[in-house]
Amino acid sequence: MERVLIIGCPGAGKSTFARQLRKKTGLPLYYLDLIWHRADHTNCSREEFDRRLREITSKERWIIDGNYLRTMEMRLEKCDTVFLLDYPVELCLASVEARIGQKREDMPWVEEEFDEEFRQWILDFPNAQRPLIHEKLKQYAKTRNIIVFRTRDEAEQYLDDQENFSGQVRVIG
């Protein structure tokens, strides 16, 4: 496990899982939200985002946290392991609501409110994004370690199991 993607619905806990995995593995961690979003609430260009992502994926070791379906293929081509946090939308909504007003390492600003457009994007995730993600993962199932967690307990159990970090990977889900 040297090049890792962590994907899932906003609010699933991708960044939290990524930080815990970084602590266990020592792999450098990159947040797509920090690349895309600027502190002034604007975004970088697609060209800049893609260039920076290519720089990261050309490295030997990394964890990349974030969905960004447009560039998922680029990341899947370079990774060896994918973690999909495939949790119920209600859990994701509650988690986003709970983090409002908190400073986070993975965002360049503090979210002051639960934006209605973002809430709708999360509500639409199971029908709009999840099937596309599953389809992409099927294309790489034979050549990548793909671990799907359906609950946070599964993710925590995985992180607690030291065997997972000595070369053995088990598929969950």
Side-chain angles (χ1 to χ4, degrees):
M1 183 180 342
E2 298 288 319
R3 294 172 308 281
V4 180
L5 299 183
I6 301 174
I7 58 179
C9 184
K14 296 180 299 296
S15 299
T16 300
F17 182 82
R19 285 188 294 277
Q20 293 169 334
L21 188 63
R22 172 181 63 190
K23 188 175 180 180
K24 293 278 188 179
T25 63
L27 294 170
L29 172 56
Y30 302 92
Y31 299 108
L32 295 182
D33 282 342
L34 280 180
I35 297 170
W36 180 245
H37 298 295
R38 294 183 175 142
D40 66 359
H41 292 258
T42 63
N43 301 321
C44 69
S45 69
R46 284 183 171 203
E47 294 77 18
E48 179 184 347
F49 183 85
D50 292 356
R51 179 187 55 76
R52 292 183 65 195
L53 188 54
R54 280 192 298 276
E55 287 172 5
I56 293 166
T57 59
S58 70
K59 298 176 186 236
E60 293 291 319
R61 306 174 74 234
W62 41 260
I63 298 169
I64 299 176
D65 161 24
N67 271 357
Y68 291 77
L69 199 57
R70 183 183 68 79
T71 62
M72 192 170 291
E73 189 76 29
M74 179 192 316
R75 289 173 282 135
L76 283 168
E77 288 173 359
K78 300 283 189 169
C79 76
D80 57 41
T81 305
V82 178
F83 291 97
L84 170 59
L85 281 57
D86 199 5
Y87 301 158
V89 72
E90 297 80 16
L91 175 71
C92 298
L93 287 167
S95 296
V96 170
E97 189 76 42
R99 72 186 188 199
I100 299 297
Q102 296 181 15
K103 182 165 176 43
R104 297 171 26 216
E105 161 181 339
D106 57 304
M107 283 295 287
W109 63 72
V110 174
E111 295 167 302
E112 298 298 334
E113 64 181 346
F114 196 164
D115 176 77
E116 202 49 49
E117 185 178 330
F118 188 45
R119 180 187 306 274
Q120 190 60 52
W121 198 87
I122 294 170
L123 286 168
D124 293 341
F125 185 88
N127 296 320
Q129 297 285 316
R130 183 184 285 144
L132 299 171
I133 290 169
H134 280 269
E135 195 58 41
K136 285 200 177 292
L137 293 180
K138 281 181 192 174
Q139 296 170 16
Y140 288 89
K142 289 185 164 74
T143 59
R144 306 294 186 271
N145 295 312
I146 299 175
I147 300 99
V148 179
F149 300 124
R150 304 260 185 241
T151 68
R152 288 199 172 141
D153 285 344
E154 288 178 347
E156 289 172 22
Q157 181 181 4
Y158 180 91
L159 289 166
D160 288 342
D161 188 351
Q162 292 299 315
E163 287 185 11
N164 291 317
F165 307 103
S166 61
Q168 297 178 359
V169 177
R170 70 173 191 265
V171 176
I172 299 175

PDB file of all heavy atoms in Angstrom, residues 133-152:
ATOM      1  N   ILE A 133     -19.158   5.762  -9.468  1.00  0.00           N
ATOM      2  CA  ILE A 133     -17.971   5.343  -8.721  1.00  0.00           C
ATOM      3  C   ILE A 133     -17.861   3.818  -8.732  1.00  0.00           C
ATOM      4  O   ILE A 133     -16.788   3.267  -9.004  1.00  0.00           O
ATOM      5  CB  ILE A 133     -18.012   5.889  -7.277  1.00  0.00           C
ATOM      6  CG1 ILE A 133     -17.819   7.409  -7.300  1.00  0.00           C
ATOM      7  CG2 ILE A 133     -16.965   5.210  -6.401  1.00  0.00           C
ATOM      8  CD1 ILE A 133     -18.094   8.083  -5.971  1.00  0.00           C
ATOM      9  N   HIS A 134     -18.958   3.142  -8.451  1.00  0.00           N
ATOM     10  CA  HIS A 134     -18.936   1.667  -8.455  1.00  0.00           C
ATOM     11  C   HIS A 134     -18.541   1.129  -9.833  1.00  0.00           C
ATOM     12  O   HIS A 134     -17.795   0.160  -9.932  1.00  0.00           O
ATOM     13  CB  HIS A 134     -20.289   1.103  -8.002  1.00  0.00           C
ATOM     14  CG  HIS A 134     -20.463   1.107  -6.525  1.00  0.00           C
ATOM     15  ND1 HIS A 134     -20.120   0.046  -5.729  1.00  0.00           N
ATOM     16  CD2 HIS A 134     -20.928   2.063  -5.684  1.00  0.00           C
ATOM     17  CE1 HIS A 134     -20.365   0.330  -4.470  1.00  0.00           C
ATOM     18  NE2 HIS A 134     -20.864   1.551  -4.412  1.00  0.00           N
ATOM     19  N   GLU A 135     -19.036   1.750 -10.879  1.00  0.00           N
ATOM     20  CA  GLU A 135     -18.695   1.317 -12.241  1.00  0.00           C
ATOM     21  C   GLU A 135     -17.204   1.486 -12.502  1.00  0.00           C
ATOM     22  O   GLU A 135     -16.557   0.589 -13.053  1.00  0.00           O
ATOM     23  CB  GLU A 135     -19.522   2.113 -13.260  1.00  0.00           C
ATOM     24  CG  GLU A 135     -19.518   1.517 -14.640  1.00  0.00           C
ATOM     25  CD  GLU A 135     -20.031   0.086 -14.681  1.00  0.00           C
ATOM     26  OE1 GLU A 135     -21.017  -0.237 -14.002  1.00  0.00           O
ATOM     27  OE2 GLU A 135     -19.416  -0.719 -15.423  1.00  0.00           O
ATOM     28  N   LYS A 136     -16.651   2.613 -12.109  1.00  0.00           N
ATOM     29  CA  LYS A 136     -15.211   2.849 -12.283  1.00  0.00           C
ATOM     30  C   LYS A 136     -14.401   1.831 -11.485  1.00  0.00           C
ATOM     31  O   LYS A 136     -13.393   1.311 -11.968  1.00  0.00           O
ATOM     32  CB  LYS A 136     -14.834   4.263 -11.877  1.00  0.00           C
ATOM     33  CG  LYS A 136     -15.257   5.303 -12.888  1.00  0.00           C
ATOM     34  CD  LYS A 136     -14.474   6.577 -12.704  1.00  0.00           C
ATOM     35  CE  LYS A 136     -14.837   7.587 -13.751  1.00  0.00           C
ATOM     36  NZ  LYS A 136     -14.422   7.240 -15.078  1.00  0.00           N
ATOM     37  N   LEU A 137     -14.820   1.561 -10.254  1.00  0.00           N
ATOM     38  CA  LEU A 137     -14.081   0.620  -9.417  1.00  0.00           C
ATOM     39  C   LEU A 137     -14.122  -0.795  -9.991  1.00  0.00           C
ATOM     40  O   LEU A 137     -13.136  -1.528  -9.888  1.00  0.00           O
ATOM     41  CB  LEU A 137     -14.607   0.646  -7.984  1.00  0.00           C
ATOM     42  CG  LEU A 137     -14.359   1.942  -7.211  1.00  0.00           C
ATOM     43  CD1 LEU A 137     -14.936   1.846  -5.806  1.00  0.00           C
ATOM     44  CD2 LEU A 137     -12.881   2.311  -7.184  1.00  0.00           C
ATOM     45  N   LYS A 138     -15.221  -1.167 -10.594  1.00  0.00           N
ATOM     46  CA  LYS A 138     -15.311  -2.497 -11.227  1.00  0.00           C
ATOM     47  C   LYS A 138     -14.250  -2.654 -12.304  1.00  0.00           C
ATOM     48  O   LYS A 138     -13.695  -3.738 -12.487  1.00  0.00           O
ATOM     49  CB  LYS A 138     -16.699  -2.703 -11.847  1.00  0.00           C
ATOM     50  CG  LYS A 138     -17.765  -3.057 -10.867  1.00  0.00           C
ATOM     51  CD  LYS A 138     -19.094  -3.256 -11.593  1.00  0.00           C
ATOM     52  CE  LYS A 138     -20.223  -3.313 -10.606  1.00  0.00           C
ATOM     53  NZ  LYS A 138     -21.530  -3.362 -11.260  1.00  0.00           N
ATOM     54  N   GLN A 139     -13.950  -1.578 -13.022  1.00  0.00           N
ATOM     55  CA  GLN A 139     -12.946  -1.631 -14.087  1.00  0.00           C
ATOM     56  C   GLN A 139     -11.552  -1.919 -13.539  1.00  0.00           C
ATOM     57  O   GLN A 139     -10.696  -2.429 -14.261  1.00  0.00           O
ATOM     58  CB  GLN A 139     -12.921  -0.308 -14.863  1.00  0.00           C
ATOM     59  CG  GLN A 139     -14.199   0.001 -15.590  1.00  0.00           C
ATOM     60  CD  GLN A 139     -14.201   1.425 -16.143  1.00  0.00           C
ATOM     61  OE1 GLN A 139     -13.176   2.078 -16.238  1.00  0.00           O
ATOM     62  NE2 GLN A 139     -15.387   1.905 -16.504  1.00  0.00           N
ATOM     63  N   TYR A 140     -11.326  -1.604 -12.270  1.00  0.00           N
ATOM     64  CA  TYR A 140     -10.001  -1.773 -11.668  1.00  0.00           C
ATOM     65  C   TYR A 140      -9.958  -2.881 -10.611  1.00  0.00           C
ATOM     66  O   TYR A 140      -8.939  -3.070  -9.954  1.00  0.00           O
ATOM     67  CB  TYR A 140      -9.548  -0.451 -11.040  1.00  0.00           C
ATOM     68  CG  TYR A 140      -9.174   0.569 -12.078  1.00  0.00           C
ATOM     69  CD1 TYR A 140     -10.126   1.433 -12.607  1.00  0.00           C
ATOM     70  CD2 TYR A 140      -7.871   0.653 -12.559  1.00  0.00           C
ATOM     71  CE1 TYR A 140      -9.795   2.364 -13.578  1.00  0.00           C
ATOM     72  CE2 TYR A 140      -7.528   1.571 -13.525  1.00  0.00           C
ATOM     73  CZ  TYR A 140      -8.487   2.423 -14.030  1.00  0.00           C
ATOM     74  OH  TYR A 140      -8.146   3.335 -15.002  1.00  0.00           O
ATOM     75  N   ALA A 141     -11.037  -3.629 -10.471  1.00  0.00           N
ATOM     76  CA  ALA A 141     -11.150  -4.610  -9.394  1.00  0.00           C
ATOM     77  C   ALA A 141     -10.084  -5.697  -9.448  1.00  0.00           C
ATOM     78  O   ALA A 141      -9.671  -6.210  -8.406  1.00  0.00           O
ATOM     79  CB  ALA A 141     -12.545  -5.241  -9.410  1.00  0.00           C
ATOM     80  N   LYS A 142      -9.622  -6.040 -10.628  1.00  0.00           N
ATOM     81  CA  LYS A 142      -8.620  -7.107 -10.751  1.00  0.00           C
ATOM     82  C   LYS A 142      -7.192  -6.613 -10.527  1.00  0.00           C
ATOM     83  O   LYS A 142      -6.304  -7.414 -10.266  1.00  0.00           O
ATOM     84  CB  LYS A 142      -8.730  -7.766 -12.118  1.00  0.00           C
ATOM     85  CG  LYS A 142      -9.981  -8.610 -12.277  1.00  0.00           C
ATOM     86  CD  LYS A 142      -9.959  -9.329 -13.620  1.00  0.00           C
ATOM     87  CE  LYS A 142     -10.934 -10.433 -13.697  1.00  0.00           C
ATOM     88  NZ  LYS A 142     -12.299 -10.149 -13.834  1.00  0.00           N
ATOM     89  N   THR A 143      -6.970  -5.313 -10.631  1.00  0.00           N
ATOM     90  CA  THR A 143      -5.602  -4.796 -10.564  1.00  0.00           C
ATOM     91  C   THR A 143      -5.350  -3.862  -9.382  1.00  0.00           C
ATOM     92  O   THR A 143      -4.215  -3.401  -9.209  1.00  0.00           O
ATOM     93  CB  THR A 143      -5.248  -4.052 -11.865  1.00  0.00           C
ATOM     94  OG1 THR A 143      -6.181  -2.987 -12.052  1.00  0.00           O
ATOM     95  CG2 THR A 143      -5.291  -5.005 -13.057  1.00  0.00           C
ATOM     96  N   ARG A 144      -6.364  -3.569  -8.581  1.00  0.00           N
ATOM     97  CA  ARG A 144      -6.217  -2.687  -7.433  1.00  0.00           C
ATOM     98  C   ARG A 144      -6.833  -3.351  -6.204  1.00  0.00           C
ATOM     99  O   ARG A 144      -7.771  -4.135  -6.317  1.00  0.00           O
ATOM    100  CB  ARG A 144      -6.933  -1.341  -7.644  1.00  0.00           C
ATOM    101  CG  ARG A 144      -6.553  -0.584  -8.890  1.00  0.00           C
ATOM    102  CD  ARG A 144      -5.114  -0.118  -8.869  1.00  0.00           C
ATOM    103  NE  ARG A 144      -4.769   0.724  -9.998  1.00  0.00           N
ATOM    104  CZ  ARG A 144      -4.319   0.278 -11.168  1.00  0.00           C
ATOM    105  NH1 ARG A 144      -4.166  -1.015 -11.379  1.00  0.00           N
ATOM    106  NH2 ARG A 144      -4.001   1.125 -12.137  1.00  0.00           N
ATOM    107  N   ASN A 145      -6.299  -3.041  -5.041  1.00  0.00           N
ATOM    108  CA  ASN A 145      -6.938  -3.443  -3.791  1.00  0.00           C
ATOM    109  C   ASN A 145      -8.057  -2.443  -3.538  1.00  0.00           C
ATOM    110  O   ASN A 145      -7.789  -1.249  -3.376  1.00  0.00           O
ATOM    111  CB  ASN A 145      -5.939  -3.406  -2.631  1.00  0.00           C
ATOM    112  CG  ASN A 145      -4.849  -4.424  -2.802  1.00  0.00           C
ATOM    113  OD1 ASN A 145      -5.110  -5.576  -3.089  1.00  0.00           O
ATOM    114  ND2 ASN A 145      -3.614  -3.982  -2.631  1.00  0.00           N
ATOM    115  N   ILE A 146      -9.283  -2.929  -3.524  1.00  0.00           N
ATOM    116  CA  ILE A 146     -10.439  -2.054  -3.315  1.00  0.00           C
ATOM    117  C   ILE A 146     -11.140  -2.510  -2.047  1.00  0.00           C
ATOM    118  O   ILE A 146     -11.593  -3.646  -1.953  1.00  0.00           O
ATOM    119  CB  ILE A 146     -11.394  -2.080  -4.531  1.00  0.00           C
ATOM    120  CG1 ILE A 146     -10.639  -1.575  -5.763  1.00  0.00           C
ATOM    121  CG2 ILE A 146     -12.644  -1.245  -4.232  1.00  0.00           C
ATOM    122  CD1 ILE A 146     -11.402  -1.663  -7.053  1.00  0.00           C
ATOM    123  N   ILE A 147     -11.183  -1.609  -1.079  1.00  0.00           N
ATOM    124  CA  ILE A 147     -11.776  -1.900   0.209  1.00  0.00           C
ATOM    125  C   ILE A 147     -12.980  -0.983   0.378  1.00  0.00           C
ATOM    126  O   ILE A 147     -12.842   0.239   0.304  1.00  0.00           O
ATOM    127  CB  ILE A 147     -10.771  -1.682   1.363  1.00  0.00           C
ATOM    128  CG1 ILE A 147      -9.543  -2.595   1.181  1.00  0.00           C
ATOM    129  CG2 ILE A 147     -11.425  -1.963   2.706  1.00  0.00           C
ATOM    130  CD1 ILE A 147      -8.373  -1.922   0.580  1.00  0.00           C
ATOM    131  N   VAL A 148     -14.144  -1.583   0.580  1.00  0.00           N
ATOM    132  CA  VAL A 148     -15.385  -0.823   0.737  1.00  0.00           C
ATOM    133  C   VAL A 148     -15.862  -1.002   2.173  1.00  0.00           C
ATOM    134  O   VAL A 148     -16.048  -2.121   2.634  1.00  0.00           O
ATOM    135  CB  VAL A 148     -16.471  -1.304  -0.247  1.00  0.00           C
ATOM    136  CG1 VAL A 148     -17.762  -0.516  -0.050  1.00  0.00           C
ATOM    137  CG2 VAL A 148     -15.978  -1.209  -1.679  1.00  0.00           C
ATOM    138  N   PHE A 149     -16.026   0.123   2.856  1.00  0.00           N
ATOM    139  CA  PHE A 149     -16.584   0.109   4.204  1.00  0.00           C
ATOM    140  C   PHE A 149     -18.023   0.588   4.131  1.00  0.00           C
ATOM    141  O   PHE A 149     -18.316   1.603   3.504  1.00  0.00           O
ATOM    142  CB  PHE A 149     -15.799   1.043   5.134  1.00  0.00           C
ATOM    143  CG  PHE A 149     -14.352   0.694   5.280  1.00  0.00           C
ATOM    144  CD1 PHE A 149     -13.381   1.629   4.988  1.00  0.00           C
ATOM    145  CD2 PHE A 149     -13.950  -0.557   5.720  1.00  0.00           C
ATOM    146  CE1 PHE A 149     -12.034   1.333   5.136  1.00  0.00           C
ATOM    147  CE2 PHE A 149     -12.612  -0.872   5.858  1.00  0.00           C
ATOM    148  CZ  PHE A 149     -11.647   0.077   5.573  1.00  0.00           C
ATOM    149  N   ARG A 150     -18.920  -0.144   4.785  1.00  0.00           N
ATOM    150  CA  ARG A 150     -20.332   0.247   4.829  1.00  0.00           C
ATOM    151  C   ARG A 150     -20.675   0.939   6.155  1.00  0.00           C
ATOM    152  O   ARG A 150     -21.733   1.558   6.266  1.00  0.00           O
ATOM    153  CB  ARG A 150     -21.222  -0.975   4.649  1.00  0.00           C
ATOM    154  CG  ARG A 150     -20.927  -1.754   3.377  1.00  0.00           C
ATOM    155  CD  ARG A 150     -21.907  -1.446   2.291  1.00  0.00           C
ATOM    156  NE  ARG A 150     -21.645  -2.306   1.148  1.00  0.00           N
ATOM    157  CZ  ARG A 150     -21.321  -1.848  -0.039  1.00  0.00           C
ATOM    158  NH1 ARG A 150     -21.225  -0.556  -0.253  1.00  0.00           N
ATOM    159  NH2 ARG A 150     -21.087  -2.668  -1.040  1.00  0.00           N
ATOM    160  N   THR A 151     -19.772   0.811   7.138  1.00  0.00           N
ATOM    161  CA  THR A 151     -19.980   1.453   8.440  1.00  0.00           C
ATOM    162  C   THR A 151     -18.655   2.026   8.936  1.00  0.00           C
ATOM    163  O   THR A 151     -17.577   1.566   8.537  1.00  0.00           O
ATOM    164  CB  THR A 151     -20.502   0.459   9.502  1.00  0.00           C
ATOM    165  OG1 THR A 151     -19.468  -0.485   9.799  1.00  0.00           O
ATOM    166  CG2 THR A 151     -21.761  -0.263   9.032  1.00  0.00           C
ATOM    167  N   ARG A 152     -18.748   2.987   9.824  1.00  0.00           N
ATOM    168  CA  ARG A 152     -17.532   3.537  10.432  1.00  0.00           C
ATOM    169  C   ARG A 152     -16.841   2.504  11.310  1.00  0.00           C
ATOM    170  O   ARG A 152     -15.620   2.508  11.419  1.00  0.00           O
ATOM    171  CB  ARG A 152     -17.872   4.794  11.227  1.00  0.00           C
ATOM    172  CG  ARG A 152     -18.201   5.937  10.300  1.00  0.00           C
ATOM    173  CD  ARG A 152     -18.101   7.265  10.985  1.00  0.00           C
ATOM    174  NE  ARG A 152     -18.251   8.308   9.981  1.00  0.00           N
ATOM    175  CZ  ARG A 152     -18.911   9.422  10.177  1.00  0.00           C
ATOM    176  NH1 ARG A 152     -19.466   9.663  11.343  1.00  0.00           N
ATOM    177  NH2 ARG A 152     -18.981  10.318   9.212  1.00  0.00           N
TER     178      ARG A 152
END
